[in-house]
Amino acid sequence: MNFIFLGPPGAGKGSLAVKVAEAYKIPHISTGDMFRAAIKAQTPLGVKAKAIIDAGGLVSDEITCGLVKERLAQDDCKNGFILDGFPRTIPQAEALEGICPDVTVVNFVIKDEIVIKRLSTRRVCRKCGANYNILTVPPKKEGVCDQCGGELYQRDDDKAESIAHRMDVYREQTEPLIAFYRDRNKLTDIDGATQTAELLKDFESKFKK
């Protein structure tokens, strides 16, 4: 199955995607990882994207959609995939329909106050990138990663003022995708407020392997 995970930052998309990718044997494709891989491999589109990013510009929809098309053509996507972070806008969604029209959109429904609480208490390892939450998934030792012993820190975009901005951007650019996909009968709501284990059970009950 081809999934798009849609929802605000902090809704649990990334955490669930890791579990679903493992259970369903399909790749989890985040926009950031896709860009980094293309840049590292120095593909023609990756080279273009790097030049724009290095100059402080925004990568165009044309290049982004081209990178998505390249990624979805790879062998590991033959049995399905999870797109996390794409599409972000209606034009991107329309372009994706031309690349892969058969998608199931999972919409993570969650209240703003829960998102703010989750993000403001998130900590990330500087060394390996592992994620923790000081309330729900704390490290064994405060400020230290369980996996590699690296320093845990709060990302700038997880601070209160940045969270508010990210939510505004989501509502303006990405929330219209809910209506776009609901009108096409491709969207299923899922309760993003639950913990990952319960969320996975809910997901598996809705989408059989």
Side-chain angles (χ1 to χ4, degrees):
M1 295 182 76
N2 305 323
F3 295 106
I4 294 171
F5 280 12
L6 184 64
K13 302 186 297 297
S15 297
L16 181 64
V18 170
K19 298 294 184 183
V20 172
E22 183 179 334
Y24 287 61
K25 310 300 182 194
I26 56 178
H28 167 211
I29 304 168
S30 75
T31 309
D33 290 345
M34 181 184 67
F35 271 91
R36 283 187 286 273
I39 290 169
K40 184 177 180 180
Q42 294 187 322
T43 69
L45 287 173
V47 171
K48 285 184 180 179
K50 184 177 187 301
I52 294 168
I53 293 168
D54 287 350
L58 293 174
V59 179
S60 68
D61 279 355
E62 182 182 0
I63 292 176
T64 302
C65 293
L67 286 170
V68 170
K69 186 175 182 179
E70 277 186 356
R71 182 64 184 88
L72 298 187
Q74 294 180 18
D75 287 344
D76 62 343
C77 293
K78 285 182 178 178
N79 296 321
F81 54 80
I82 305 163
L83 276 175
D84 175 11
F86 182 93
R88 291 184 183 274
T89 63
I90 297 294
Q92 288 182 356
E94 291 171 341
L96 181 61
E97 289 204 317
I99 298 169
C100 180
D102 181 21
V103 295
T104 297
V105 182
V106 183
N107 179 42
F108 289 65
V109 180
I110 188 168
K111 292 180 179 178
D112 285 5
E113 54 264 35
I114 298 176
V115 167
I116 292 167
K117 187 175 182 180
R118 277 185 183 174
L119 293 179
S120 62
T121 54
R122 180 165 63 179
R123 299 295 182 269
V124 181
C125 176
R126 289 189 188 278
K127 190 174 180 181
C128 73
N131 279 270
Y132 297 86
N133 186 289
I134 57 177
L135 296 179
T136 58
V137 191
K140 294 175 183 176
K141 183 178 179 182
E142 185 177 350
V144 179
C145 177
D146 294 346
Q147 297 181 33
C148 71
E151 177 194 358
L152 301 184
Y153 74 106
Q154 183 180 35
R155 298 185 338 190
D156 287 340
D157 60 359
D158 284 341
K159 294 176 182 176
E161 59 275 15
S162 294
I163 294 170
H165 174 69
R166 291 168 70 190
M167 295 296 288
D168 287 343
V169 170
Y170 171 75
R171 286 194 189 90
E172 179 183 342
Q173 294 187 353
T174 311
E175 207 168 56
L177 289 172
I178 296 172
F180 178 89
Y181 283 117
R182 203 183 296 281
D183 288 346
R184 287 160 175 74
N185 296 315
K186 294 182 176 181
L187 187 134
T188 300
D189 290 331
I190 196 166
D191 183 6
T194 58
Q195 295 301 312
T196 303
E198 291 302 313
L199 198 54
L200 180 60
K201 288 180 184 178
D202 186 21
F203 183 95
E204 289 179 330
S205 72
K206 288 180 168 72
F207 308 106
K208 302 298 182 184
K209 299 177 191 176

mmCIF file with all atom_site columns, all heavy atoms in Angstrom, residues 6 17 21-22 31-32 47 50 53 70 75 92 99 112 125 135 141 152 161 171 204:
data_model
loop_
_atom_site.group_PDB
_atom_site.id
_atom_site.type_symbol
_atom_site.label_atom_id
_atom_site.label_alt_id
_atom_site.label_comp_id
_atom_site.label_asym_id
_atom_site.label_entity_id
_atom_site.label_seq_id
_atom_site.pdbx_PDB_ins_code
_atom_site.Cartn_x
_atom_site.Cartn_y
_atom_site.Cartn_z
_atom_site.occupancy
_atom_site.B_iso_or_equiv
_atom_site.pdbx_formal_charge
_atom_site.auth_seq_id
_atom_site.auth_comp_id
_atom_site.auth_asym_id
_atom_site.auth_atom_id
_atom_site.pdbx_PDB_model_num
ATOM 1   N N   . LEU A 1 6   ? -0.324 12.547 6.985   1.00 0.00 ? 6   LEU A N   1
ATOM 2   C CA  . LEU A 1 6   ? -0.658 13.961 6.977   1.00 0.00 ? 6   LEU A CA  1
ATOM 3   C C   . LEU A 1 6   ? -1.064 14.403 8.380   1.00 0.00 ? 6   LEU A C   1
ATOM 4   O O   . LEU A 1 6   ? -1.860 13.745 9.049   1.00 0.00 ? 6   LEU A O   1
ATOM 5   C CB  . LEU A 1 6   ? -1.820 14.201 6.002   1.00 0.00 ? 6   LEU A CB  1
ATOM 6   C CG  . LEU A 1 6   ? -2.289 15.626 5.767   1.00 0.00 ? 6   LEU A CG  1
ATOM 7   C CD1 . LEU A 1 6   ? -1.186 16.447 5.111   1.00 0.00 ? 6   LEU A CD1 1
ATOM 8   C CD2 . LEU A 1 6   ? -3.536 15.609 4.868   1.00 0.00 ? 6   LEU A CD2 1
ATOM 9   N N   . ALA A 1 17  ? 5.432  6.012  11.553  1.00 0.00 ? 17  ALA A N   1
ATOM 10  C CA  . ALA A 1 17  ? 5.984  5.596  10.259  1.00 0.00 ? 17  ALA A CA  1
ATOM 11  C C   . ALA A 1 17  ? 7.095  4.567  10.434  1.00 0.00 ? 17  ALA A C   1
ATOM 12  O O   . ALA A 1 17  ? 7.187  3.609  9.657   1.00 0.00 ? 17  ALA A O   1
ATOM 13  C CB  . ALA A 1 17  ? 6.502  6.810  9.499   1.00 0.00 ? 17  ALA A CB  1
ATOM 14  N N   . ALA A 1 21  ? 6.633  0.980  8.773   1.00 0.00 ? 21  ALA A N   1
ATOM 15  C CA  . ALA A 1 21  ? 7.629  0.566  7.783   1.00 0.00 ? 21  ALA A CA  1
ATOM 16  C C   . ALA A 1 21  ? 8.197  -0.810 8.130   1.00 0.00 ? 21  ALA A C   1
ATOM 17  O O   . ALA A 1 21  ? 8.378  -1.664 7.252   1.00 0.00 ? 21  ALA A O   1
ATOM 18  C CB  . ALA A 1 21  ? 8.750  1.607  7.707   1.00 0.00 ? 21  ALA A CB  1
ATOM 19  N N   . GLU A 1 22  ? 8.431  -1.018 9.408   1.00 0.00 ? 22  GLU A N   1
ATOM 20  C CA  . GLU A 1 22  ? 8.971  -2.305 9.867   1.00 0.00 ? 22  GLU A CA  1
ATOM 21  C C   . GLU A 1 22  ? 7.938  -3.421 9.724   1.00 0.00 ? 22  GLU A C   1
ATOM 22  O O   . GLU A 1 22  ? 8.243  -4.510 9.230   1.00 0.00 ? 22  GLU A O   1
ATOM 23  C CB  . GLU A 1 22  ? 9.402  -2.173 11.336  1.00 0.00 ? 22  GLU A CB  1
ATOM 24  C CG  . GLU A 1 22  ? 10.039 -3.409 11.914  1.00 0.00 ? 22  GLU A CG  1
ATOM 25  C CD  . GLU A 1 22  ? 10.463 -3.215 13.370  1.00 0.00 ? 22  GLU A CD  1
ATOM 26  O OE1 . GLU A 1 22  ? 10.727 -2.070 13.774  1.00 0.00 ? 22  GLU A OE1 1
ATOM 27  O OE2 . GLU A 1 22  ? 10.505 -4.215 14.101  1.00 0.00 ? 22  GLU A OE2 1
ATOM 28  N N   . THR A 1 31  ? 10.790 13.818 3.639   1.00 0.00 ? 31  THR A N   1
ATOM 29  C CA  . THR A 1 31  ? 11.317 14.786 2.685   1.00 0.00 ? 31  THR A CA  1
ATOM 30  C C   . THR A 1 31  ? 12.779 15.107 2.973   1.00 0.00 ? 31  THR A C   1
ATOM 31  O O   . THR A 1 31  ? 13.614 15.143 2.065   1.00 0.00 ? 31  THR A O   1
ATOM 32  C CB  . THR A 1 31  ? 10.490 16.087 2.714   1.00 0.00 ? 31  THR A CB  1
ATOM 33  O OG1 . THR A 1 31  ? 9.114  15.755 2.588   1.00 0.00 ? 31  THR A OG1 1
ATOM 34  C CG2 . THR A 1 31  ? 10.883 17.007 1.573   1.00 0.00 ? 31  THR A CG2 1
ATOM 35  N N   . GLY A 1 32  ? 13.097 15.321 4.251   1.00 0.00 ? 32  GLY A N   1
ATOM 36  C CA  . GLY A 1 32  ? 14.467 15.666 4.626   1.00 0.00 ? 32  GLY A CA  1
ATOM 37  C C   . GLY A 1 32  ? 15.457 14.575 4.256   1.00 0.00 ? 32  GLY A C   1
ATOM 38  O O   . GLY A 1 32  ? 16.522 14.852 3.681   1.00 0.00 ? 32  GLY A O   1
ATOM 39  N N   . VAL A 1 47  ? 22.030 17.804 -7.012  1.00 0.00 ? 47  VAL A N   1
ATOM 40  C CA  . VAL A 1 47  ? 23.004 18.889 -7.220  1.00 0.00 ? 47  VAL A CA  1
ATOM 41  C C   . VAL A 1 47  ? 22.277 20.235 -7.313  1.00 0.00 ? 47  VAL A C   1
ATOM 42  O O   . VAL A 1 47  ? 22.703 21.235 -6.722  1.00 0.00 ? 47  VAL A O   1
ATOM 43  C CB  . VAL A 1 47  ? 23.838 18.640 -8.496  1.00 0.00 ? 47  VAL A CB  1
ATOM 44  C CG1 . VAL A 1 47  ? 24.678 19.857 -8.834  1.00 0.00 ? 47  VAL A CG1 1
ATOM 45  C CG2 . VAL A 1 47  ? 24.740 17.415 -8.300  1.00 0.00 ? 47  VAL A CG2 1
ATOM 46  N N   . LYS A 1 50  ? 20.961 21.184 -3.819  1.00 0.00 ? 50  LYS A N   1
ATOM 47  C CA  . LYS A 1 50  ? 22.050 21.627 -2.935  1.00 0.00 ? 50  LYS A CA  1
ATOM 48  C C   . LYS A 1 50  ? 22.446 23.069 -3.225  1.00 0.00 ? 50  LYS A C   1
ATOM 49  O O   . LYS A 1 50  ? 22.667 23.868 -2.306  1.00 0.00 ? 50  LYS A O   1
ATOM 50  C CB  . LYS A 1 50  ? 23.260 20.710 -3.066  1.00 0.00 ? 50  LYS A CB  1
ATOM 51  C CG  . LYS A 1 50  ? 24.394 21.059 -2.096  1.00 0.00 ? 50  LYS A CG  1
ATOM 52  C CD  . LYS A 1 50  ? 25.548 20.086 -2.218  1.00 0.00 ? 50  LYS A CD  1
ATOM 53  C CE  . LYS A 1 50  ? 26.597 20.333 -1.128  1.00 0.00 ? 50  LYS A CE  1
ATOM 54  N NZ  . LYS A 1 50  ? 27.164 21.703 -1.161  1.00 0.00 ? 50  LYS A NZ  1
ATOM 55  N N   . ILE A 1 53  ? 19.745 25.331 -1.764  1.00 0.00 ? 53  ILE A N   1
ATOM 56  C CA  . ILE A 1 53  ? 19.789 25.320 -0.298  1.00 0.00 ? 53  ILE A CA  1
ATOM 57  C C   . ILE A 1 53  ? 21.004 26.087 0.211   1.00 0.00 ? 53  ILE A C   1
ATOM 58  O O   . ILE A 1 53  ? 20.909 26.881 1.153   1.00 0.00 ? 53  ILE A O   1
ATOM 59  C CB  . ILE A 1 53  ? 19.783 23.861 0.237   1.00 0.00 ? 53  ILE A CB  1
ATOM 60  C CG1 . ILE A 1 53  ? 18.442 23.198 -0.066  1.00 0.00 ? 53  ILE A CG1 1
ATOM 61  C CG2 . ILE A 1 53  ? 20.069 23.839 1.744   1.00 0.00 ? 53  ILE A CG2 1
ATOM 62  C CD1 . ILE A 1 53  ? 18.428 21.701 0.142   1.00 0.00 ? 53  ILE A CD1 1
ATOM 63  N N   . GLU A 1 70  ? 11.824 10.266 -8.541  1.00 0.00 ? 70  GLU A N   1
ATOM 64  C CA  . GLU A 1 70  ? 13.044 9.443  -8.551  1.00 0.00 ? 70  GLU A CA  1
ATOM 65  C C   . GLU A 1 70  ? 13.011 8.411  -7.432  1.00 0.00 ? 70  GLU A C   1
ATOM 66  O O   . GLU A 1 70  ? 13.316 7.240  -7.634  1.00 0.00 ? 70  GLU A O   1
ATOM 67  C CB  . GLU A 1 70  ? 14.282 10.329 -8.358  1.00 0.00 ? 70  GLU A CB  1
ATOM 68  C CG  . GLU A 1 70  ? 14.799 10.990 -9.608  1.00 0.00 ? 70  GLU A CG  1
ATOM 69  C CD  . GLU A 1 70  ? 16.118 11.726 -9.344  1.00 0.00 ? 70  GLU A CD  1
ATOM 70  O OE1 . GLU A 1 70  ? 16.554 11.772 -8.169  1.00 0.00 ? 70  GLU A OE1 1
ATOM 71  O OE2 . GLU A 1 70  ? 16.705 12.261 -10.295 1.00 0.00 ? 70  GLU A OE2 1
ATOM 72  N N   . ASP A 1 75  ? 13.553 0.329  -6.324  1.00 0.00 ? 75  ASP A N   1
ATOM 73  C CA  . ASP A 1 75  ? 13.039 -1.030 -6.138  1.00 0.00 ? 75  ASP A CA  1
ATOM 74  C C   . ASP A 1 75  ? 12.331 -1.244 -4.800  1.00 0.00 ? 75  ASP A C   1
ATOM 75  O O   . ASP A 1 75  ? 11.369 -2.004 -4.729  1.00 0.00 ? 75  ASP A O   1
ATOM 76  C CB  . ASP A 1 75  ? 14.181 -2.048 -6.264  1.00 0.00 ? 75  ASP A CB  1
ATOM 77  C CG  . ASP A 1 75  ? 14.653 -2.214 -7.704  1.00 0.00 ? 75  ASP A CG  1
ATOM 78  O OD1 . ASP A 1 75  ? 13.913 -1.782 -8.614  1.00 0.00 ? 75  ASP A OD1 1
ATOM 79  O OD2 . ASP A 1 75  ? 15.744 -2.765 -7.908  1.00 0.00 ? 75  ASP A OD2 1
ATOM 80  N N   . GLN A 1 92  ? 1.629  20.419 -4.952  1.00 0.00 ? 92  GLN A N   1
ATOM 81  C CA  . GLN A 1 92  ? 2.431  19.208 -4.799  1.00 0.00 ? 92  GLN A CA  1
ATOM 82  C C   . GLN A 1 92  ? 1.548  17.960 -4.844  1.00 0.00 ? 92  GLN A C   1
ATOM 83  O O   . GLN A 1 92  ? 1.919  16.941 -5.431  1.00 0.00 ? 92  GLN A O   1
ATOM 84  C CB  . GLN A 1 92  ? 3.223  19.250 -3.494  1.00 0.00 ? 92  GLN A CB  1
ATOM 85  C CG  . GLN A 1 92  ? 4.377  20.237 -3.500  1.00 0.00 ? 92  GLN A CG  1
ATOM 86  C CD  . GLN A 1 92  ? 5.173  20.227 -2.204  1.00 0.00 ? 92  GLN A CD  1
ATOM 87  O OE1 . GLN A 1 92  ? 4.832  19.533 -1.248  1.00 0.00 ? 92  GLN A OE1 1
ATOM 88  N NE2 . GLN A 1 92  ? 6.243  20.997 -2.169  1.00 0.00 ? 92  GLN A NE2 1
ATOM 89  N N   . ILE A 1 99  ? 2.254  11.263 -10.604 1.00 0.00 ? 99  ILE A N   1
ATOM 90  C CA  . ILE A 1 99  ? 3.349  10.317 -10.374 1.00 0.00 ? 99  ILE A CA  1
ATOM 91  C C   . ILE A 1 99  ? 2.812  8.987  -9.865  1.00 0.00 ? 99  ILE A C   1
ATOM 92  O O   . ILE A 1 99  ? 3.194  7.915  -10.327 1.00 0.00 ? 99  ILE A O   1
ATOM 93  C CB  . ILE A 1 99  ? 4.349  10.899 -9.345  1.00 0.00 ? 99  ILE A CB  1
ATOM 94  C CG1 . ILE A 1 99  ? 4.986  12.190 -9.875  1.00 0.00 ? 99  ILE A CG1 1
ATOM 95  C CG2 . ILE A 1 99  ? 5.436  9.861  -9.007  1.00 0.00 ? 99  ILE A CG2 1
ATOM 96  C CD1 . ILE A 1 99  ? 5.767  12.964 -8.818  1.00 0.00 ? 99  ILE A CD1 1
ATOM 97  N N   . ASP A 1 112 ? -4.180 21.191 19.396  1.00 0.00 ? 112 ASP A N   1
ATOM 98  C CA  . ASP A 1 112 ? -2.988 22.045 19.437  1.00 0.00 ? 112 ASP A CA  1
ATOM 99  C C   . ASP A 1 112 ? -2.237 21.933 20.757  1.00 0.00 ? 112 ASP A C   1
ATOM 100 O O   . ASP A 1 112 ? -1.006 21.883 20.785  1.00 0.00 ? 112 ASP A O   1
ATOM 101 C CB  . ASP A 1 112 ? -3.374 23.514 19.217  1.00 0.00 ? 112 ASP A CB  1
ATOM 102 C CG  . ASP A 1 112 ? -3.709 23.804 17.766  1.00 0.00 ? 112 ASP A CG  1
ATOM 103 O OD1 . ASP A 1 112 ? -3.741 22.859 16.952  1.00 0.00 ? 112 ASP A OD1 1
ATOM 104 O OD2 . ASP A 1 112 ? -3.940 24.989 17.447  1.00 0.00 ? 112 ASP A OD2 1
ATOM 105 N N   . CYS A 1 125 ? 19.133 13.631 20.432  1.00 0.00 ? 125 CYS A N   1
ATOM 106 C CA  . CYS A 1 125 ? 20.562 13.374 20.649  1.00 0.00 ? 125 CYS A CA  1
ATOM 107 C C   . CYS A 1 125 ? 21.377 14.067 19.555  1.00 0.00 ? 125 CYS A C   1
ATOM 108 O O   . CYS A 1 125 ? 21.110 13.902 18.364  1.00 0.00 ? 125 CYS A O   1
ATOM 109 C CB  . CYS A 1 125 ? 20.826 11.875 20.620  1.00 0.00 ? 125 CYS A CB  1
ATOM 110 S SG  . CYS A 1 125 ? 22.587 11.458 20.769  1.00 0.00 ? 125 CYS A SG  1
ATOM 111 N N   . LEU A 1 135 ? 8.775  13.838 29.386  1.00 0.00 ? 135 LEU A N   1
ATOM 112 C CA  . LEU A 1 135 ? 7.591  13.422 30.143  1.00 0.00 ? 135 LEU A CA  1
ATOM 113 C C   . LEU A 1 135 ? 7.189  11.976 29.857  1.00 0.00 ? 135 LEU A C   1
ATOM 114 O O   . LEU A 1 135 ? 6.911  11.207 30.778  1.00 0.00 ? 135 LEU A O   1
ATOM 115 C CB  . LEU A 1 135 ? 6.401  14.344 29.829  1.00 0.00 ? 135 LEU A CB  1
ATOM 116 C CG  . LEU A 1 135 ? 6.535  15.808 30.236  1.00 0.00 ? 135 LEU A CG  1
ATOM 117 C CD1 . LEU A 1 135 ? 5.281  16.572 29.827  1.00 0.00 ? 135 LEU A CD1 1
ATOM 118 C CD2 . LEU A 1 135 ? 6.756  15.938 31.743  1.00 0.00 ? 135 LEU A CD2 1
ATOM 119 N N   . LYS A 1 141 ? 19.243 8.490  31.953  1.00 0.00 ? 141 LYS A N   1
ATOM 120 C CA  . LYS A 1 141 ? 20.000 9.525  32.658  1.00 0.00 ? 141 LYS A CA  1
ATOM 121 C C   . LYS A 1 141 ? 19.687 10.863 32.007  1.00 0.00 ? 141 LYS A C   1
ATOM 122 O O   . LYS A 1 141 ? 19.770 11.004 30.788  1.00 0.00 ? 141 LYS A O   1
ATOM 123 C CB  . LYS A 1 141 ? 21.501 9.242  32.570  1.00 0.00 ? 141 LYS A CB  1
ATOM 124 C CG  . LYS A 1 141 ? 22.373 10.226 33.342  1.00 0.00 ? 141 LYS A CG  1
ATOM 125 C CD  . LYS A 1 141 ? 23.842 9.855  33.246  1.00 0.00 ? 141 LYS A CD  1
ATOM 126 C CE  . LYS A 1 141 ? 24.713 10.859 34.009  1.00 0.00 ? 141 LYS A CE  1
ATOM 127 N NZ  . LYS A 1 141 ? 26.152 10.519 33.886  1.00 0.00 ? 141 LYS A NZ  1
ATOM 128 N N   . LEU A 1 152 ? 21.761 15.268 24.893  1.00 0.00 ? 152 LEU A N   1
ATOM 129 C CA  . LEU A 1 152 ? 20.406 15.559 24.435  1.00 0.00 ? 152 LEU A CA  1
ATOM 130 C C   . LEU A 1 152 ? 20.172 17.062 24.496  1.00 0.00 ? 152 LEU A C   1
ATOM 131 O O   . LEU A 1 152 ? 20.604 17.726 25.432  1.00 0.00 ? 152 LEU A O   1
ATOM 132 C CB  . LEU A 1 152 ? 19.373 14.844 25.309  1.00 0.00 ? 152 LEU A CB  1
ATOM 133 C CG  . LEU A 1 152 ? 19.475 13.311 25.383  1.00 0.00 ? 152 LEU A CG  1
ATOM 134 C CD1 . LEU A 1 152 ? 18.322 12.755 26.203  1.00 0.00 ? 152 LEU A CD1 1
ATOM 135 C CD2 . LEU A 1 152 ? 19.481 12.703 23.985  1.00 0.00 ? 152 LEU A CD2 1
ATOM 136 N N   . GLU A 1 161 ? 7.931  29.722 20.685  1.00 0.00 ? 161 GLU A N   1
ATOM 137 C CA  . GLU A 1 161 ? 7.650  30.673 19.604  1.00 0.00 ? 161 GLU A CA  1
ATOM 138 C C   . GLU A 1 161 ? 7.757  30.006 18.226  1.00 0.00 ? 161 GLU A C   1
ATOM 139 O O   . GLU A 1 161 ? 6.988  30.310 17.304  1.00 0.00 ? 161 GLU A O   1
ATOM 140 C CB  . GLU A 1 161 ? 8.590  31.886 19.684  1.00 0.00 ? 161 GLU A CB  1
ATOM 141 C CG  . GLU A 1 161 ? 10.078 31.582 19.607  1.00 0.00 ? 161 GLU A CG  1
ATOM 142 C CD  . GLU A 1 161 ? 10.712 31.213 20.946  1.00 0.00 ? 161 GLU A CD  1
ATOM 143 O OE1 . GLU A 1 161 ? 9.962  30.908 21.902  1.00 0.00 ? 161 GLU A OE1 1
ATOM 144 O OE2 . GLU A 1 161 ? 11.946 31.236 21.033  1.00 0.00 ? 161 GLU A OE2 1
ATOM 145 N N   . ARG A 1 171 ? -1.279 25.216 9.054   1.00 0.00 ? 171 ARG A N   1
ATOM 146 C CA  . ARG A 1 171 ? -2.686 25.555 8.771   1.00 0.00 ? 171 ARG A CA  1
ATOM 147 C C   . ARG A 1 171 ? -2.829 26.241 7.421   1.00 0.00 ? 171 ARG A C   1
ATOM 148 O O   . ARG A 1 171 ? -3.766 25.970 6.671   1.00 0.00 ? 171 ARG A O   1
ATOM 149 C CB  . ARG A 1 171 ? -3.236 26.464 9.878   1.00 0.00 ? 171 ARG A CB  1
ATOM 150 C CG  . ARG A 1 171 ? -3.511 25.740 11.168  1.00 0.00 ? 171 ARG A CG  1
ATOM 151 C CD  . ARG A 1 171 ? -4.359 26.580 12.116  1.00 0.00 ? 171 ARG A CD  1
ATOM 152 N NE  . ARG A 1 171 ? -4.428 25.949 13.416  1.00 0.00 ? 171 ARG A NE  1
ATOM 153 C CZ  . ARG A 1 171 ? -3.576 26.173 14.404  1.00 0.00 ? 171 ARG A CZ  1
ATOM 154 N NH1 . ARG A 1 171 ? -2.607 27.049 14.239  1.00 0.00 ? 171 ARG A NH1 1
ATOM 155 N NH2 . ARG A 1 171 ? -3.691 25.547 15.555  1.00 0.00 ? 171 ARG A NH2 1
ATOM 156 N N   . GLU A 1 204 ? -3.249 -0.726 12.191  1.00 0.00 ? 204 GLU A N   1
ATOM 157 C CA  . GLU A 1 204 ? -3.322 -2.089 11.636  1.00 0.00 ? 204 GLU A CA  1
ATOM 158 C C   . GLU A 1 204 ? -4.769 -2.590 11.526  1.00 0.00 ? 204 GLU A C   1
ATOM 159 O O   . GLU A 1 204 ? -5.077 -3.388 10.645  1.00 0.00 ? 204 GLU A O   1
ATOM 160 C CB  . GLU A 1 204 ? -2.495 -3.039 12.504  1.00 0.00 ? 204 GLU A CB  1
ATOM 161 C CG  . GLU A 1 204 ? -0.996 -2.814 12.376  1.00 0.00 ? 204 GLU A CG  1
ATOM 162 C CD  . GLU A 1 204 ? -0.166 -3.731 13.240  1.00 0.00 ? 204 GLU A CD  1
ATOM 163 O OE1 . GLU A 1 204 ? -0.646 -4.143 14.315  1.00 0.00 ? 204 GLU A OE1 1
ATOM 164 O OE2 . GLU A 1 204 ? 0.966  -4.046 12.840  1.00 0.00 ? 204 GLU A OE2 1
#
